[in-house]
Amino acid sequence: VDADVVRVTLTKQLEGQDHLAFSDELNQAINKVIDLAKKEPALTVKTGNYSFWNNTEKDKSTWIVRGEVLVTSEDFEKVRALITQASGTMNLDGINFSLSDTKRKESEARLIGKAAEAFRERASSVATAFGAKDYSIQKVNVQTSRVIGNGDMVYRASAKSLSSYGGEPVQLSSGKVSVQVMTEGEIALR
């Protein structure tokens, strides 16, 4: 099944002596990107990690401030446009693809029907193999597993390799994810 949700992480990191000024600059960048994202109803936006720490090497001490904005949507083109608009303000740091609840439930429903049919066919084969005329289902357990595949993968790269500063915006291609349904049960032969 094609993954239909993309989540991107946009980050900004600053380093220097004046952590208060950098915190202010970081807050302005985060607010600007959040405001851009909120203009598009197809995008869900929230702040991610926000941290600052002192980095001391030999006799030199600097402050590092870092913040994230997380954007999620089923509309890949709207996310792509936001990445382009945010370039220069925040860097693209990660891309994650997943399956929406709606698409997962649709896929599971389809697979449950196939699994039930396969269970009945196998039960019938077992009944025939043991010389029974029929069978009855005593117990059935149907389990769905979490989605596996590209939905579990996060793509990370440097800002220069993924961001689109002055060039072609990054393509968002989700790939496939796997939805699994497992059926087990007990039958009584008659």
Side-chain angles (χ1 to χ4, degrees):
V1 179
D2 288 326
D4 63 338
V5 176
V6 62
R7 178 174 147 178
V8 297
T9 303
L10 301 169
T11 63
K12 185 170 188 81
Q13 181 170 309
L14 301 164
E15 182 173 1
Q17 299 297 318
D18 188 355
H19 73 282
L20 295 176
F22 285 139
S23 293
D24 189 48
E25 184 179 340
L26 177 61
N27 293 343
Q28 289 176 21
I30 288 171
N31 292 340
K32 180 179 179 181
V33 172
I34 287 174
D35 289 343
L36 283 171
K38 284 185 175 179
K39 289 179 184 176
E40 181 50 63
L43 303 178
T44 302
V45 63
K46 65 180 182 178
T47 54
N49 293 325
Y50 187 104
S51 57
F52 61 95
W53 63 96
N54 189 278
N55 185 31
T56 304
E57 292 183 20
K58 298 187 181 183
D59 294 335
K60 185 178 179 185
S61 179
T62 59
W63 285 94
I64 300 172
V65 294
R66 184 178 191 280
E68 296 177 343
V69 172
L70 309 173
V71 181
T72 306
S73 182
E74 292 181 30
D75 189 331
F76 289 19
E77 287 305 312
K78 301 281 187 197
V79 173
R80 187 175 179 216
L82 179 69
I83 292 168
T84 301
Q85 290 174 341
S87 67
T89 304
M90 295 187 83
N91 298 320
L92 177 60
D93 188 43
I95 304 172
N96 177 284
F97 297 99
S98 60
L99 200 58
S100 66
D101 286 341
T102 301
K103 196 164 183 181
R104 180 188 50 80
K105 288 175 184 176
E106 289 171 359
S107 298
E108 287 175 351
R110 202 171 39 255
L111 290 172
I112 287 170
K114 289 180 179 182
E117 182 181 329
F119 181 86
R120 285 191 302 274
E121 288 175 7
R122 188 159 184 191
S124 181
S125 295
V126 169
T128 301
F130 281 97
K133 293 180 183 172
D134 200 6
Y135 67 92
S136 63
I137 298 173
Q138 302 297 304
K139 179 181 172 182
V140 174
N141 182 15
V142 177
Q143 296 179 358
T144 58
S145 65
R146 67 183 185 86
V147 175
I148 56 175
N150 279 353
D152 291 338
M153 296 172 63
V154 176
Y155 302 95
R156 293 202 179 271
S158 70
K160 288 182 181 177
S161 66
L162 282 180
S163 290
S164 56
Y165 299 117
E168 179 68 21
V170 65
Q171 291 289 333
L172 298 177
S173 178
S174 65
K176 302 281 185 189
V177 294
S178 178
V179 178
Q180 297 178 345
V181 172
M182 295 161 280
T183 306
E184 63 182 16
E186 296 176 10
I187 61 171
L189 303 178
R190 297 187 279 196

